[in-house]
Short mmCIF file of all heavy atoms in Angstrom, two decimals:
data_model
loop_
_atom_site.label_atom_id
_atom_site.label_comp_id
_atom_site.label_asym_id
_atom_site.label_seq_id
_atom_site.Cartn_x
_atom_site.Cartn_y
_atom_site.Cartn_z
N LEU A 175 6.23 -11.39 -2.84
CA LEU A 175 6.50 -11.34 -1.36
C LEU A 175 7.25 -12.57 -0.86
O LEU A 175 8.11 -12.41 -0.04
CB LEU A 175 5.20 -11.19 -0.59
CG LEU A 175 4.57 -9.82 -0.70
CD1 LEU A 175 3.24 -9.78 0.05
CD2 LEU A 175 5.46 -8.70 -0.29
N GLU A 176 6.91 -13.72 -1.41
CA GLU A 176 7.59 -14.98 -0.95
C GLU A 176 9.10 -14.99 -1.22
O GLU A 176 9.78 -15.69 -0.51
CB GLU A 176 6.90 -16.16 -1.57
CG GLU A 176 5.48 -16.40 -1.19
CD GLU A 176 4.81 -17.53 -1.88
OE1 GLU A 176 5.51 -18.25 -2.67
OE2 GLU A 176 3.60 -17.70 -1.70
N THR A 177 9.57 -14.17 -2.18
CA THR A 177 10.94 -14.21 -2.55
C THR A 177 11.75 -13.16 -1.78
O THR A 177 12.98 -13.13 -1.92
CB THR A 177 11.10 -13.99 -4.04
OG1 THR A 177 10.65 -12.68 -4.34
CG2 THR A 177 10.31 -15.00 -4.84
N LEU A 178 11.12 -12.31 -1.00
CA LEU A 178 11.78 -11.20 -0.41
C LEU A 178 12.35 -11.59 1.00
O LEU A 178 11.73 -12.38 1.75
CB LEU A 178 10.85 -10.04 -0.20
CG LEU A 178 10.24 -9.43 -1.48
CD1 LEU A 178 9.25 -8.37 -1.16
CD2 LEU A 178 11.36 -8.94 -2.36
N PRO A 179 13.47 -10.99 1.41
CA PRO A 179 13.99 -11.19 2.71
C PRO A 179 13.13 -10.62 3.78
O PRO A 179 12.35 -9.64 3.47
CB PRO A 179 15.37 -10.60 2.62
CG PRO A 179 15.34 -9.63 1.52
CD PRO A 179 14.29 -10.10 0.56
N LYS A 180 13.27 -11.06 5.03
CA LYS A 180 12.41 -10.59 6.09
C LYS A 180 12.58 -9.02 6.28
O LYS A 180 11.59 -8.34 6.54
CB LYS A 180 12.87 -11.31 7.36
CG LYS A 180 11.97 -11.01 8.53
CD LYS A 180 12.33 -11.86 9.77
CE LYS A 180 11.36 -11.62 10.90
NZ LYS A 180 11.62 -12.48 11.98
N GLU A 181 13.79 -8.50 6.12
CA GLU A 181 14.00 -7.07 6.30
C GLU A 181 13.15 -6.24 5.28
O GLU A 181 12.52 -5.23 5.65
CB GLU A 181 15.47 -6.77 6.09
CG GLU A 181 15.83 -5.27 6.18
CD GLU A 181 17.27 -5.04 5.96
OE1 GLU A 181 18.13 -5.52 6.71
OE2 GLU A 181 17.62 -4.30 5.02
N ALA A 182 13.11 -6.70 4.06
CA ALA A 182 12.28 -6.06 3.04
C ALA A 182 10.80 -6.16 3.36
O ALA A 182 10.02 -5.23 3.19
CB ALA A 182 12.57 -6.63 1.65
N LEU A 183 10.38 -7.31 3.86
CA LEU A 183 8.96 -7.48 4.26
C LEU A 183 8.62 -6.58 5.39
O LEU A 183 7.49 -6.01 5.39
CB LEU A 183 8.71 -8.95 4.65
CG LEU A 183 8.83 -9.98 3.53
CD1 LEU A 183 8.79 -11.37 4.06
CD2 LEU A 183 7.79 -9.70 2.45
N ASN A 184 9.52 -6.38 6.33
CA ASN A 184 9.25 -5.45 7.44
C ASN A 184 9.09 -4.01 6.93
O ASN A 184 8.22 -3.29 7.45
CB ASN A 184 10.36 -5.54 8.50
CG ASN A 184 10.23 -6.79 9.33
OD1 ASN A 184 9.18 -7.35 9.50
ND2 ASN A 184 11.34 -7.28 9.82
N ARG A 185 9.92 -3.60 6.01
CA ARG A 185 9.84 -2.24 5.46
C ARG A 185 8.48 -2.09 4.73
O ARG A 185 7.83 -1.07 4.85
CB ARG A 185 10.99 -1.99 4.48
CG ARG A 185 12.30 -1.63 5.12
CD ARG A 185 13.24 -1.02 4.13
NE ARG A 185 13.41 -1.76 2.91
CZ ARG A 185 14.32 -2.74 2.65
NH1 ARG A 185 15.18 -3.07 3.66
NH2 ARG A 185 14.40 -3.36 1.56
N ILE A 186 8.08 -3.10 3.99
CA ILE A 186 6.81 -3.08 3.26
C ILE A 186 5.63 -2.95 4.27
O ILE A 186 4.70 -2.21 4.04
CB ILE A 186 6.63 -4.29 2.32
CG1 ILE A 186 7.60 -4.13 1.15
CG2 ILE A 186 5.20 -4.44 1.91
CD1 ILE A 186 7.70 -5.37 0.28
N LEU A 187 5.74 -3.74 5.37
CA LEU A 187 4.72 -3.69 6.38
C LEU A 187 4.56 -2.32 6.97
O LEU A 187 3.43 -1.82 7.11
CB LEU A 187 5.02 -4.75 7.48
CG LEU A 187 4.02 -4.80 8.60
CD1 LEU A 187 2.63 -5.18 8.10
CD2 LEU A 187 4.49 -5.75 9.66
N ILE A 188 5.67 -1.66 7.29
CA ILE A 188 5.59 -0.33 7.80
C ILE A 188 5.04 0.66 6.84
O ILE A 188 4.15 1.47 7.16
CB ILE A 188 7.04 0.15 8.22
CG1 ILE A 188 7.53 -0.65 9.44
CG2 ILE A 188 7.09 1.67 8.51
CD1 ILE A 188 8.99 -0.51 9.76
N ARG A 189 5.39 0.58 5.57
CA ARG A 189 4.90 1.42 4.50
C ARG A 189 3.39 1.20 4.32
O ARG A 189 2.59 2.09 4.11
CB ARG A 189 5.62 1.26 3.20
CG ARG A 189 7.00 1.87 3.30
CD ARG A 189 7.81 1.64 2.08
NE ARG A 189 7.37 2.58 1.02
CZ ARG A 189 7.95 2.57 -0.17
NH1 ARG A 189 8.90 1.73 -0.50
NH2 ARG A 189 7.51 3.39 -1.04
N ASP A 190 3.01 -0.10 4.38
CA ASP A 190 1.58 -0.41 4.18
C ASP A 190 0.70 0.14 5.32
O ASP A 190 -0.40 0.57 5.13
CB ASP A 190 1.37 -1.91 4.07
CG ASP A 190 1.67 -2.46 2.71
OD1 ASP A 190 1.90 -1.64 1.80
OD2 ASP A 190 1.61 -3.67 2.56
N LYS A 191 1.24 0.19 6.53
CA LYS A 191 0.50 0.79 7.63
C LYS A 191 0.30 2.30 7.39
O LYS A 191 -0.75 2.83 7.69
CB LYS A 191 1.26 0.53 8.98
CG LYS A 191 1.15 -0.87 9.45
CD LYS A 191 1.85 -1.09 10.74
CE LYS A 191 1.77 -2.53 11.24
NZ LYS A 191 2.52 -2.75 12.44
N GLU A 192 1.29 2.94 6.88
CA GLU A 192 1.19 4.40 6.50
C GLU A 192 0.19 4.56 5.39
O GLU A 192 -0.60 5.49 5.45
CB GLU A 192 2.58 4.92 6.10
CG GLU A 192 3.60 4.95 7.26
CD GLU A 192 4.98 5.26 6.77
OE1 GLU A 192 5.25 5.36 5.58
OE2 GLU A 192 5.84 5.32 7.63
N ARG A 193 0.24 3.67 4.46
CA ARG A 193 -0.71 3.74 3.30
C ARG A 193 -2.15 3.55 3.79
O ARG A 193 -3.06 4.25 3.33
CB ARG A 193 -0.40 2.72 2.29
CG ARG A 193 0.91 3.00 1.49
CD ARG A 193 1.27 1.84 0.64
NE ARG A 193 2.53 2.12 -0.06
CZ ARG A 193 3.49 1.25 -0.22
NH1 ARG A 193 3.39 0.03 0.27
NH2 ARG A 193 4.61 1.61 -0.90
N LEU A 194 -2.32 2.66 4.73
CA LEU A 194 -3.63 2.39 5.29
C LEU A 194 -4.19 3.63 6.00
O LEU A 194 -5.40 3.94 5.86
CB LEU A 194 -3.57 1.17 6.21
CG LEU A 194 -4.90 0.67 6.78
CD1 LEU A 194 -5.85 0.26 5.67
CD2 LEU A 194 -4.68 -0.44 7.72
N GLU A 195 -3.36 4.34 6.67
CA GLU A 195 -3.74 5.55 7.32
C GLU A 195 -4.24 6.60 6.35
O GLU A 195 -5.21 7.25 6.52
CB GLU A 195 -2.62 6.15 8.18
CG GLU A 195 -2.30 5.36 9.43
CD GLU A 195 -1.12 5.93 10.21
OE1 GLU A 195 -0.70 7.07 9.97
OE2 GLU A 195 -0.59 5.21 11.10
N LYS A 196 -3.45 6.71 5.23
CA LYS A 196 -3.89 7.62 4.13
C LYS A 196 -5.27 7.20 3.59
O LYS A 196 -6.11 8.03 3.29
CB LYS A 196 -2.84 7.62 3.04
CG LYS A 196 -1.57 8.36 3.41
CD LYS A 196 -0.59 8.34 2.25
CE LYS A 196 0.69 9.01 2.65
NZ LYS A 196 1.68 9.05 1.56
N LEU A 197 -5.46 5.88 3.38
CA LEU A 197 -6.76 5.43 2.84
C LEU A 197 -7.84 5.66 3.82
O LEU A 197 -8.96 6.04 3.44
CB LEU A 197 -6.65 3.94 2.50
CG LEU A 197 -5.91 3.57 1.24
CD1 LEU A 197 -5.76 2.08 1.11
CD2 LEU A 197 -6.67 4.13 0.02
N GLU A 198 -7.59 5.49 5.11
CA GLU A 198 -8.60 5.76 6.09
C GLU A 198 -8.98 7.23 6.11
O GLU A 198 -10.18 7.58 6.22
CB GLU A 198 -8.15 5.31 7.48
CG GLU A 198 -8.09 3.80 7.64
CD GLU A 198 -9.46 3.19 7.62
OE1 GLU A 198 -10.50 3.81 8.02
OE2 GLU A 198 -9.56 2.00 7.26
N LYS A 199 -7.98 8.09 5.97
CA LYS A 199 -8.24 9.56 5.92
C LYS A 199 -9.07 9.87 4.74
O LYS A 199 -10.03 10.65 4.76
CB LYS A 199 -6.91 10.31 5.90
CG LYS A 199 -7.01 11.77 5.64
CD LYS A 199 -7.36 12.57 6.84
CE LYS A 199 -7.17 14.05 6.60
NZ LYS A 199 -8.38 14.74 6.12
N ARG A 200 -8.72 9.31 3.58
CA ARG A 200 -9.48 9.55 2.30
C ARG A 200 -10.89 9.08 2.48
O ARG A 200 -11.84 9.75 2.08
CB ARG A 200 -8.78 8.85 1.12
CG ARG A 200 -9.45 8.99 -0.18
CD ARG A 200 -9.42 10.37 -0.71
NE ARG A 200 -10.08 10.43 -1.97
CZ ARG A 200 -10.91 11.36 -2.37
NH1 ARG A 200 -11.13 12.42 -1.61
NH2 ARG A 200 -11.43 11.36 -3.56
N LYS A 201 -11.08 7.89 3.09
CA LYS A 201 -12.41 7.40 3.28
C LYS A 201 -13.26 8.27 4.16
O LYS A 201 -14.39 8.56 3.88
CB LYS A 201 -12.33 5.97 3.94
CG LYS A 201 -13.66 5.30 4.12
CD LYS A 201 -13.47 3.92 4.72
CE LYS A 201 -13.68 3.98 6.21
NZ LYS A 201 -13.72 2.71 6.86
N SER A 202 -12.65 8.81 5.21
CA SER A 202 -13.34 9.73 6.11
C SER A 202 -13.68 11.00 5.35
O SER A 202 -14.85 11.49 5.51
CB SER A 202 -12.35 10.08 7.28
OG SER A 202 -12.99 11.01 8.09
N ASP A 203 -12.80 11.56 4.55
CA ASP A 203 -13.09 12.74 3.79
C ASP A 203 -14.22 12.48 2.77
O ASP A 203 -15.09 13.36 2.64
CB ASP A 203 -11.85 13.17 3.00
CG ASP A 203 -10.72 13.75 3.93
OD1 ASP A 203 -11.02 14.01 5.13
OD2 ASP A 203 -9.60 13.87 3.44
N LEU A 204 -14.19 11.33 2.17
CA LEU A 204 -15.28 11.00 1.21
C LEU A 204 -16.61 10.87 1.91
O LEU A 204 -17.64 11.26 1.36
CB LEU A 204 -14.90 9.73 0.42
CG LEU A 204 -13.86 9.86 -0.65
CD1 LEU A 204 -13.52 8.48 -1.17
CD2 LEU A 204 -14.33 10.76 -1.76
N PHE A 205 -16.59 10.29 3.12
CA PHE A 205 -17.81 10.14 3.89
C PHE A 205 -18.40 11.47 4.23
O PHE A 205 -19.63 11.70 4.09
CB PHE A 205 -17.54 9.28 5.17
CG PHE A 205 -18.79 9.08 5.97
CD1 PHE A 205 -19.74 8.18 5.56
CD2 PHE A 205 -19.04 9.89 7.05
CE1 PHE A 205 -20.94 8.03 6.32
CE2 PHE A 205 -20.18 9.66 7.86
CZ PHE A 205 -21.10 8.72 7.47
N ILE A 206 -17.57 12.43 4.65
CA ILE A 206 -18.01 13.74 4.99
C ILE A 206 -18.54 14.44 3.79
O ILE A 206 -19.63 15.04 3.81
CB ILE A 206 -16.85 14.59 5.60
CG1 ILE A 206 -16.52 14.03 6.99
CG2 ILE A 206 -17.21 16.07 5.68
CD1 ILE A 206 -15.23 14.58 7.59
N GLU A 207 -17.90 14.30 2.61
CA GLU A 207 -18.36 14.87 1.37
C GLU A 207 -19.70 14.30 0.97
O GLU A 207 -20.63 15.02 0.57
CB GLU A 207 -17.33 14.68 0.25
CG GLU A 207 -17.69 15.33 -1.05
CD GLU A 207 -16.62 15.12 -2.10
OE1 GLU A 207 -15.44 14.87 -1.79
OE2 GLU A 207 -16.95 15.25 -3.29
N LEU A 208 -19.82 13.02 1.08
CA LEU A 208 -21.08 12.28 0.75
C LEU A 208 -22.22 12.81 1.63
O LEU A 208 -23.31 13.04 1.18
CB LEU A 208 -20.90 10.80 0.82
CG LEU A 208 -22.19 9.98 0.61
CD1 LEU A 208 -22.71 10.17 -0.77
CD2 LEU A 208 -21.88 8.48 0.86
N THR A 209 -21.92 12.91 2.95
CA THR A 209 -22.93 13.38 3.89
C THR A 209 -23.43 14.77 3.54
O THR A 209 -24.62 15.03 3.51
CB THR A 209 -22.39 13.36 5.30
OG1 THR A 209 -21.95 12.03 5.65
CG2 THR A 209 -23.39 13.86 6.30
N LYS A 210 -22.50 15.63 3.17
CA LYS A 210 -22.88 17.01 2.78
C LYS A 210 -23.72 17.02 1.50
O LYS A 210 -24.68 17.76 1.38
CB LYS A 210 -21.68 17.91 2.68
CG LYS A 210 -21.01 18.21 3.98
CD LYS A 210 -19.78 19.02 3.77
CE LYS A 210 -19.12 19.36 5.12
NZ LYS A 210 -17.87 20.16 4.96
N THR A 211 -23.33 16.18 0.55
CA THR A 211 -24.05 16.05 -0.67
C THR A 211 -25.48 15.55 -0.49
O THR A 211 -26.46 16.11 -1.04
CB THR A 211 -23.34 15.11 -1.70
OG1 THR A 211 -21.95 15.57 -1.86
CG2 THR A 211 -24.08 14.99 -2.98
N LEU A 212 -25.61 14.59 0.37
CA LEU A 212 -26.96 14.00 0.68
C LEU A 212 -27.82 15.05 1.43
O LEU A 212 -28.99 15.17 1.15
CB LEU A 212 -26.83 12.75 1.48
CG LEU A 212 -26.28 11.56 0.71
CD1 LEU A 212 -26.08 10.36 1.63
CD2 LEU A 212 -27.20 11.17 -0.45
N GLU A 213 -27.18 15.84 2.27
CA GLU A 213 -27.93 16.88 2.96
C GLU A 213 -28.41 17.94 2.00
O GLU A 213 -29.55 18.40 2.11
CB GLU A 213 -27.00 17.51 4.06
CG GLU A 213 -26.83 16.64 5.29
CD GLU A 213 -25.84 17.20 6.28
OE1 GLU A 213 -25.26 18.29 6.02
OE2 GLU A 213 -25.62 16.57 7.29
N ALA A 214 -27.56 18.31 1.07
CA ALA A 214 -27.93 19.30 0.05
C ALA A 214 -29.09 18.77 -0.85
O ALA A 214 -30.00 19.47 -1.16
CB ALA A 214 -26.74 19.66 -0.80
N LYS A 215 -28.95 17.53 -1.18
CA LYS A 215 -30.02 16.89 -2.01
C LYS A 215 -31.35 16.88 -1.22
O LYS A 215 -32.38 17.24 -1.79
CB LYS A 215 -29.61 15.45 -2.36
CG LYS A 215 -30.62 14.67 -3.13
CD LYS A 215 -30.33 13.23 -3.29
CE LYS A 215 -31.49 12.50 -3.94
NZ LYS A 215 -31.28 11.07 -3.94
N THR A 216 -31.34 16.53 0.00
CA THR A 216 -32.49 16.48 0.83
C THR A 216 -33.15 17.87 0.95
O THR A 216 -34.36 18.07 0.85
CB THR A 216 -32.21 15.94 2.24
OG1 THR A 216 -31.69 14.60 2.08
CG2 THR A 216 -33.44 15.90 3.08
#
């Protein structure tokens, strides 16, 4: 990262924000799946 120009860093930042949204969605889906699994176990 330290060797990259500012323009490249900005592109990475935008992509990382999109990736973070995907990870948040995955986390939410896993939480729902875990909740259902625990309900079934109970």
Side-chain angles (χ1 to χ4, degrees):
L175 289 179
E176 295 176 4
T177 65
L178 298 176
K180 188 174 183 175
E181 180 181 298
L183 293 172
N184 286 333
R185 281 195 311 268
I186 289 171
L187 179 63
I188 291 168
R189 289 176 78 180
D190 279 355
K191 287 179 181 179
E192 293 168 357
R193 291 172 179 136
L194 186 58
E195 288 177 16
K196 288 180 182 180
L197 283 172
E198 287 294 332
K199 169 82 169 92
R200 178 70 178 137
K201 183 178 96 173
S202 176
D203 291 347
L204 286 172
F205 181 76
I206 291 168
E207 183 178 340
L208 176 62
T209 301
K210 289 179 181 178
T211 302
L212 290 174
E213 287 173 358
K215 177 185 173 192
T216 301

